[in-house]
Amino acid sequence: MIMILDYGTGNLNSVKRMLDRIGVRSETSSSPEDIARADKIIMPGVGHFGRAMANLRERGLLDRLNEAVLSKRKPILGICLGMELMAKTSEEGNAAGLGWLDAETVRFDFAPGTRNKIPHMGWNQMAVTKDSRLMAGVDGTAEFYFAHSYRLRLNDPSDMLSETEYGVSFPSAIEKNNIFGVQYHPEKSHDAGARILKNFVEM
């Protein structure tokens, strides 16, 4: 069972529609029991880091998530905020994260008058930095849709799967064992995004 984790943030329906379009059966749920029975978990998210972590705690999801991901090694894909939550801390809300990655979530910081605006919104390419089944069959010139004000700062470069330039180079995808994340929105990235989701489901 592919579970789309509902922890009170946006974009769940968009992910569900994309999975439906590519013929993948999935369930949207906020139940800790469904985390236990899921084969794979997708953790999308649009919203505030601190509020999202509070929602995970209030819904009793943290222990089940840690058990599923860290102990049982179930594959999980974080999307946008869902990936940022995997860091140890965030500047957004000065909050502690899941701590699955040796990383911090930091805000883009551009000098006034520069051409790079916050949030980073629009289409960008990514440069894949290591082999991964998640990227199988993805054209190197493909563009993906981004909408974010924060980015990961990785302390372990081996966790980087791809990077993107927007004023600075930042991780646009990560992979650490069974833990995957993308900063962009594959559910809004047409065929290239659909391929990423299909690759994850078929692992």
Side-chain angles (χ1 to χ4, degrees), residues 4 17 35 41 60 71 73 94 126 134 141 145 148 154 185 187:
I4 303 170
R17 283 195 298 270
I35 293 175
I41 302 165
S71 299
R73 298 292 182 119
N94 192 28
M126 62 178 183
L134 191 67
T141 63
Y145 184 76
H148 61 122
L154 291 174
H185 289 274
E187 75 280 6

Side-chain angles (χ1 to χ4, degrees), residues 4 6 10 30 43-44 75 119-120 123 128 131 138 142 144-145 149 155-157 160 193 196 199:
I4 303 170
D6 178 2
S30 58
M43 189 166 65
H120 169 212
W123 297 85
V128 177
D131 290 336
V138 177
F144 297 85
Y145 184 76
S149 299
N155 297 316
D156 186 347
M160 178 110 65
I196 295 285
N199 286 345

Side-chain angles (χ1 to χ4, degrees), residues 1 19 35 51 75 80 83 87 104 106 114 129 133 152 201:
M1 188 265 285
L19 291 173
I35 293 175
R51 183 68 251 165
C80 197
M83 181 178 86
E104 299 85 36
V106 298
T114 60
T129 58
R133 291 177 294 168
L152 281 186
V201 169

Side-chain angles (χ1 to χ4, degrees), residues 31-97:
S31 165
E33 290 72 26
D34 284 341
I35 293 175
R37 71 183 186 89
D39 298 306
K40 295 183 177 71
I41 302 165
I42 297 177
M43 189 166 65
V46 174
H48 187 276
F49 188 107
R51 183 68 251 165
M53 286 302 301
N55 288 350
L56 287 170
R57 285 192 298 272
E58 290 164 7
R59 296 181 183 210
L61 299 173
L62 281 179
D63 287 345
R64 285 296 178 89
L65 265 180
N66 283 322
E67 179 185 20
V69 174
L70 301 180
S71 299
K72 296 184 177 178
R73 298 292 182 119
K74 293 185 180 185
I76 187 166
L77 174 66
I79 296 174
C80 197
L81 176 62
M83 181 178 86
E84 294 169 8
L85 293 174
M86 297 173 176
K88 289 181 175 179
T89 61
S90 176
E91 292 179 349
E92 186 177 28
N94 192 28

Side-chain angles (χ1 to χ4, degrees), residues 147-167:
H148 61 122
S149 299
Y150 292 79
R151 61 182 176 86
L152 281 186
R153 183 169 61 204
L154 291 174
N155 297 316
D156 186 347
S158 70
D159 294 339
M160 178 110 65
L161 178 51
S162 73
E163 57 188 346
T164 293
E165 292 287 335
Y166 185 72

Side-chain angles (χ1 to χ4, degrees), residues 108-119:
F108 281 112
D109 184 17
F110 301 128
T114 60
R115 66 183 183 88
N116 297 112
K117 306 301 180 185
I118 304 172

